[in-house]
């Protein structure tokens, strides 16, 4: 495991324009919390999209070392990367097997999650020379995203003419409304999934992601699949309160400016200053996932959502002024004591003081999108588990 893991490695973390601290011990602790809530079910780890933007190598290695034995990724390339860090884990690939990807599956021992009859037919042909090769089946129980229909799944379960080599190790489905414990859809999906799970007797079953785990034991089956909870984010409103924050993003102040009442700030001159102001210009913008929708003024989403972005600096919250730009954001530091901050200091964008989900909500989105939008420019530091 390397301390710095991308092309910005050469930058000293202490002087990087933008930097991201990922607390792997918090990820492990959050996984353990999800495992405790999963009762007798085993607990997988979902590390798709580069470990929700935080680095699949480091995240995968830490979770594997902590005892995670089942992982989910979106595409086979992610599985091949993870394999180097999780030598004997089961790695499920949610997008299934497609022509051209077979070798990546076979060479890395990845398990495709098959979601249609076409994919099944392709899989049977691809493994004809292999004999037994594991697969998982995704069944749609109401989400209408991926999966065999209930009828297709039941037909397959009873199909005695299916290839003898067909050996599904897992049947799974995904909840549409897991974040809303009161939604009747949850029970409906549960009942449909029970029917399928019973039909595939002896095959493990999995229904719940982070939010579903919180719905209780009925939803746990044999294997749970938490993702966002591992990274300290909300899967249901407020659900991350019991988790540890994992990622802290900070950007360096490049310049502190003094501006007069009546002057304007940033593109479009959409912010007219009401008072003489001190401004901190920091080196992160929408190319770093500091979404333009979090601008202080001057973007359409600000009409629809209540707040713009807020940074944390020298013990205070500081609001974004005017439009966020590609590489830079301007914060209002007028209310901070004179001399409390200098160019070179760092503003927290989210992390220990500004919760991930609050930072996301300020841009009209969710923690999942914020994390997976961080981009490549952060110098990264990983805090290792003890
Ligand atoms: C992304 C995903 C998960 C993890 O969801 P979280 O809400 O992040 O816990 C689990 N299962 C499937 C099928 C997914 O696509």
């Amino acid at each position: 495991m390397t301390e710095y893991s991308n092309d910005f490695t050469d930058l000293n973390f202490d002087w990087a324009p933008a930097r991201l601290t990922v607390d792997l011990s918090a990820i492990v602790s959050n996984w353990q919390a999800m495992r405790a809530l999963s009762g007798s079910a085993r607990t997988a780890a979902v590390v798709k999209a580069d470990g929700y933007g935080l680095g699949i190598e480091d995240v995968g290695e830490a979770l594997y070392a902590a005892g995670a034995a089942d992982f989910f990724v979106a595409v086979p390339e992610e599985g091949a990367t993870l394999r180097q860090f999780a030598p004997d884990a089961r790695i499920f690939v949610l997008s299934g097997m497609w022509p051209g990807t077979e070798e990546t599956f076979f060479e890395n021992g990845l398990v495709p999650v098959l979601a249609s009859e076409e994919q099944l037919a392709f899989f049977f042909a691809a493994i004809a020379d292999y004999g037994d090769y594991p697969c998982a089946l995704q069944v749609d129980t109401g989400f209408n995203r991926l999966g065999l229909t209930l009828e297709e799944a039941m037909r397959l379960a009873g199909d005695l003419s299916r290839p003898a080599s067909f050996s599904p190790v897992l049947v799974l489905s995904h909840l549409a409304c897991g974040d809303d414990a009161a939604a009747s859809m949850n029970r409906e999906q549960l009942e449909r999934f029970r029917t399928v799970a019973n039909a595939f007797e002896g095959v493990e079953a999995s229904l719940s992601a982070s939010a579903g785990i919180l719905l209780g034991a009925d939803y746990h089956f044999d294997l749970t699949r938490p993702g966002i909870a591992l990274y300290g984010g909300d899967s249901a409103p407020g659900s991350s309160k019991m988790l540890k924050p994992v990622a802290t993003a900070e950007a360096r102040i490049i310049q502190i400016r003094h501006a007069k009442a009546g002057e304007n700030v940033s593109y479009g001159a959409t912010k007219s200053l009401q008072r003489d102001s001190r401004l901190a210009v920091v080196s992160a913008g929408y190319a770093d996932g500091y979404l333009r929708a979090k601008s202080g003024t001057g973007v359409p989403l600000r009409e629809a959502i209540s707040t713009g972005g807020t940074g944390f600096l020298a013990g205070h919250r500081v609001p974004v002024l005017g439009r966020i730009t590609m590489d830079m954001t301007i914060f209002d530091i007028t209310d901070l004591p004179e001399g409390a901050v200098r160019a070179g200091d760092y503003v927290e964008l989210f992390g220990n003081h500004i919760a991930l989900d609050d930072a996301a909500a300020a841009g009209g989105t969710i923690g999942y999108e914020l994390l997976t939008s961080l981009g490549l420019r952060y110098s990264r530091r990983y805090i290792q588990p003890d």
Side-chain angles (χ1 to χ4, degrees):
M1 212 181 289
T2 51
E3 200 185 352
Y4 307 111
S5 83
N6 62 24
D7 293 334
F8 288 72
T9 28
D10 294 343
L11 290 167
N12 186 328
F13 187 82
D14 296 331
W15 284 104
R19 61 193 195 185
L20 185 71
T21 303
V22 179
D23 185 346
L24 296 172
S25 63
I27 292 187
V28 166
S29 152
N30 291 340
W31 180 72
Q32 289 164 340
M34 288 297 108
R35 189 177 60 181
L37 287 170
S38 296
S40 58
R42 283 179 302 112
T43 304
V46 181
V47 296
K48 61 197 183 189
D50 196 28
Y52 285 48
L54 299 182
I56 189 170
E57 290 99 338
D58 295 84
V59 169
E61 185 173 26
L63 287 169
Y64 178 76
D70 300 272
F71 290 85
F72 287 83
V73 295
V75 295
E77 288 69 23
E78 295 173 333
T81 303
L82 178 62
R83 178 54 80 206
Q84 300 167 252
F85 300 89
D88 60 0
R90 284 202 305 188
I91 302 176
F92 295 97
V93 178
L94 289 163
S95 61
M97 184 187 275
W98 288 88
T101 66
E102 307 92 308
E103 287 311 314
T104 309
F105 277 88
F106 298 146
E107 281 167 15
N108 296 286
L110 309 177
V111 183
V113 179
L114 305 172
S116 69
E117 292 191 326
E118 294 93 312
Q119 276 195 335
L120 275 161
F122 175 73
F123 175 75
F124 289 143
I127 65 162
D129 299 335
Y130 268 78
D132 242 6
Y133 194 86
C135 68
L137 298 174
Q138 175 141 211
V139 181
D140 188 84
T141 50
F143 196 118
N144 263 319
R145 183 173 66 172
L146 268 190
L148 298 162
T149 65
L150 215 56
E151 295 69 31
E152 287 169 337
M154 297 306 283
R155 210 182 311 134
L156 185 66
D159 181 3
L160 300 175
S161 69
R162 69 194 196 191
S165 58
F166 180 57
S167 49
V169 295
L170 185 72
V171 50
L172 68 91
S173 191
H174 197 48
L175 295 171
C177 305
D179 61 338
D180 177 5
S184 58
M185 182 101 183
N186 293 325
R187 280 270 144 205
E188 291 162 26
Q189 288 195 264
L190 176 64
E191 291 315 321
R192 291 185 199 120
F193 188 62
R194 276 202 179 121
T195 309
V196 177
N198 291 338
F200 284 93
E201 214 196 320
V203 177
E204 289 190 357
S206 175
L207 178 60
S208 287
S210 302
I213 293 170
L214 307 178
L215 296 177
D218 282 357
Y219 289 82
H220 296 163
F221 292 87
D222 300 302
L223 183 71
T224 59
R225 309 188 305 269
I228 193 69
L230 311 181
Y231 309 97
D234 277 351
S235 59
S239 65
S240 63
K241 296 251 183 318
M242 60 169 175
L243 302 168
K244 293 193 174 156
V246 166
T248 299
E250 300 167 293
R252 192 174 60 194
I253 299 174
I254 307 174
Q255 187 180 35
I256 292 177
R257 311 182 57 80
H258 295 264
K260 293 260 177 278
E263 291 180 13
N264 297 299
V265 180
S266 194
Y267 283 123
T270 62
K271 174 62 187 176
S272 172
L273 295 173
Q274 303 299 306
R275 56 178 180 172
D276 292 353
S277 300
R278 271 181 302 134
L279 315 179
V281 182
V282 313
S283 55
Y286 58 75
D288 307 295
Y290 208 62
L291 309 176
R292 190 168 175 273
K294 287 160 69 93
S295 292
T297 46
V299 295
L301 253 180
R302 285 290 276 110
E303 321 269 309
I305 56 183
S306 55
T307 61
T310 307
F312 187 85
L313 174 67
H316 297 265
R317 288 175 168 257
V318 289
V320 173
L321 280 181
R323 284 187 186 151
I324 291 168
T325 73
M326 185 183 290
D327 315 303
M328 284 172 268
T329 300
I330 301 152
F331 290 93
D332 183 359
I333 60 166
T334 314
D335 292 332
L336 268 58
E338 189 85 45
V341 298
R342 297 183 303 183
D345 289 350
Y346 283 84
V347 175
E348 178 186 308
L349 306 176
F350 65 85
N352 287 328
H353 301 95
I354 298 187
L356 171 68
D357 287 282
D358 292 343
T365 187
I366 53 178
Y368 297 75
E369 189 176 35
L370 203 163
L371 287 181
T372 55
S373 303
L374 289 173
L376 300 172
R377 294 200 293 201
Y378 290 87
S379 175
R380 293 173 176 227
R381 181 178 62 179
Y382 289 92
I383 298 174
Q384 300 299 331
D386 310 321

